[in-house]
């Protein structure tokens, strides 16, 4: 297991390809972990990229913290210091997108380029103010309350449903095939096709690490649909916004909003869904970040 100590003594769990002229820090989705970056290792080696993925607080073996987008940006800067890395690019998948952008806003002297894939925008600024277009009235009310109430209250509001979800998945099940099938069920066809090609053992390992501690997901879900602690306009480095036109989980409205509000942004639309936008385009993504 690869871990290091942050300046305040917390443990951070990470994965690192260790070689490459350009460093790219990867930010996983929710619930997910550094495992989401593993399929990019081959493309990283091919294109001279050192790919580093850090579990956010409360995921896997990374210690729990009352984190937000900017505190995670500081954690990444500290990890970079520990690894002897000065400048780096950032790549955020799904709910990891705002964390990647926070790094660019918080540490502009260090972040060279940014890319986000299937990322939500500043959700309250959208019209309508929801990250996806298939929410019923009850779900809309739920997300509206997440925006307005304190983060700790949001965590407790989310906890019962997430607890039931984890119990249904049963991440302690030693049967890799069964756990992998549960972990990947319910995804759109384009994403399901990618999952079908992955080893069950790796999918099961990803599920176990993502769900080993519930605190990471709960914190992510509580802060991701409210105002950010920074403005997209503060991200001055070149940024690419990647989005799948068949993504049912994050409306394309998010990508268009980000492309309009990031000062130096390029919008890249693909005929993919959610995860497949990442995993079908590793060479393009990493090339754009070099």
């Amino acid at each position: 297991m690869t871990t290091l100590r942050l300046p305040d003594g917390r443990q951070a769990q990470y994965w690192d390809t260790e070689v490459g002229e350009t460093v790219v820090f990867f930010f996983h989705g929710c619930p997910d972990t550094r495992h989401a970056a593993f399929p990019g290792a081959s493309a990283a080696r091919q294109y001279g990229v050192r790919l580093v993925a850090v579990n956010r607080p409360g995921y896997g073996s990374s210690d729990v913290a009352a984190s937000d987008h900017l505190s995670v940006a500081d954690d990444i800067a500290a990890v970079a210091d520990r690894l002897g890395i000065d400048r780096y690019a950032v790549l955020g998948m799904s709910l990891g997108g705002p964390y990647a952008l926070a790094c660019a806003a918080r540490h502009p002297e260090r972040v060279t380029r940014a890319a986000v894939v299937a990322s939500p925008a500043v959700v309250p600024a959208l019209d309508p103010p929801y990250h996806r277009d298939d929410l019923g009235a009850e779900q809309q009310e739920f997300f509206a309350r997440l925006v307005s109430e304190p983060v700790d209250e949001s965590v407790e509001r989310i906890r019962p449903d997430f607890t039931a979800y984890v119990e249904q998945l049963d991440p302690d099940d030693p049967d890799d095939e069964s756990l992998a099938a549960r972990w990947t069920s319910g995804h759109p066809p384009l994403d399901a096709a990618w999952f079908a090609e992955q080893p069950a053992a790796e999918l099961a390992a990803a599920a176990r690490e993502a769900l080993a501690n519930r605190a990471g997901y709960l914190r992510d879900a509580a802060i991701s649909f409210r105002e950010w602690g920074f403005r997209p306009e503060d991200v001055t480095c070149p940024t690419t916004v990647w989005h799948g036109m068949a993504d049912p989980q994050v409306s394309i409205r998010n990508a268009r909003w980000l492309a309009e509000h990031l000062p130096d942004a390029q919008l890249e639309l693909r005929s993919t869904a959610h995860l497949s936008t990442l995993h079908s385009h590793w060479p393009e993504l990493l090339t754009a970040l070099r």
Side-chain angles (χ1 to χ4, degrees):
M1 182 184 298
T2 307
T3 60
L4 52 73
R5 290 288 172 185
L6 297 171
D8 63 2
R10 283 182 293 120
Q11 177 174 269
Q13 184 181 21
Y14 72 102
W15 171 80
D16 182 2
T17 61
E18 298 184 348
V19 294
E21 186 173 340
T22 299
V23 178
V24 175
F25 275 93
F26 175 84
F27 297 80
H28 59 80
C30 168
D32 212 337
T33 64
R34 60 199 178 125
H35 281 253
F38 292 5
S42 177
R45 288 191 293 268
Q46 181 178 355
Y47 292 96
V49 171
R50 179 179 178 181
L51 190 58
V52 185
V54 183
N55 285 352
R56 287 192 290 279
Y59 284 103
S61 297
S62 288
D63 288 336
V64 175
S67 57
D68 58 24
H69 294 115
L70 294 176
S71 73
V72 169
D74 290 341
D75 287 350
I76 295 303
V79 170
D81 290 342
R82 293 286 193 269
L83 297 179
I85 296 166
D86 181 21
R87 289 167 63 78
Y88 46 90
V90 292
L91 169 60
M93 171 64 204
S94 190
L95 291 192
Y99 289 100
L101 296 177
C103 287
R106 183 78 150 185
H107 300 285
E109 76 288 354
R110 302 188 72 167
V111 176
T112 56
R113 290 180 177 271
V116 295
V117 181
S119 172
V122 180
V123 174
L126 295 175
D127 183 20
Y130 308 108
H131 66 294
R132 53 193 296 172
D133 294 332
D134 60 349
L135 300 180
E138 186 175 336
Q139 292 171 305
Q140 291 180 8
E141 181 182 357
F142 176 85
F143 279 102
R145 293 190 70 175
L146 290 186
V147 171
S148 61
E149 66 189 5
V151 173
D152 289 345
E153 290 184 18
S154 292
V155 166
E156 296 311 313
R157 181 178 303 281
I158 297 163
R159 189 185 301 277
D161 283 347
F162 186 60
T163 298
Y165 167 74
V166 173
E167 290 174 350
Q168 177 266 324
L169 281 179
D170 188 15
D172 294 327
D173 183 357
D175 185 330
D176 288 349
E177 294 282 351
S178 295
L179 176 55
R182 293 192 297 274
W183 175 242
T184 59
S185 67
H187 287 273
L190 291 171
D191 290 352
W194 181 82
F195 279 126
E197 298 175 353
Q198 309 311 306
E202 169 53 29
L203 294 173
R208 293 184 184 110
E209 186 166 301
L211 302 173
N213 189 336
R214 298 171 191 176
Y217 171 88
L218 292 172
R219 189 76 189 180
D220 268 353
I223 71 169
S224 292
F225 305 106
R226 61 183 68 220
E227 294 285 345
W228 299 349
F230 65 98
R231 301 183 313 129
E233 290 80 4
D234 296 334
V235 179
T236 56
C237 68
T239 304
T240 309
V241 179
W242 299 77
H243 209 89
M245 292 183 287
D247 188 342
Q249 294 171 255
V250 180
S251 164
I252 200 168
R253 294 184 294 111
N254 293 267
R256 297 193 190 283
W257 190 95
L258 286 170
E260 290 173 1
H261 289 80
L262 293 164
D264 186 2
Q266 178 177 335
L267 179 61
E268 295 283 351
L269 301 179
R270 295 293 185 267
S271 57
T272 45
H274 193 68
L275 288 166
S276 51
T277 306
L278 172 70
H279 294 307
S280 298
H281 298 99
W282 277 107
E284 290 177 82
L285 286 161
L286 295 180
T287 298
L289 289 169
R290 288 191 303 174

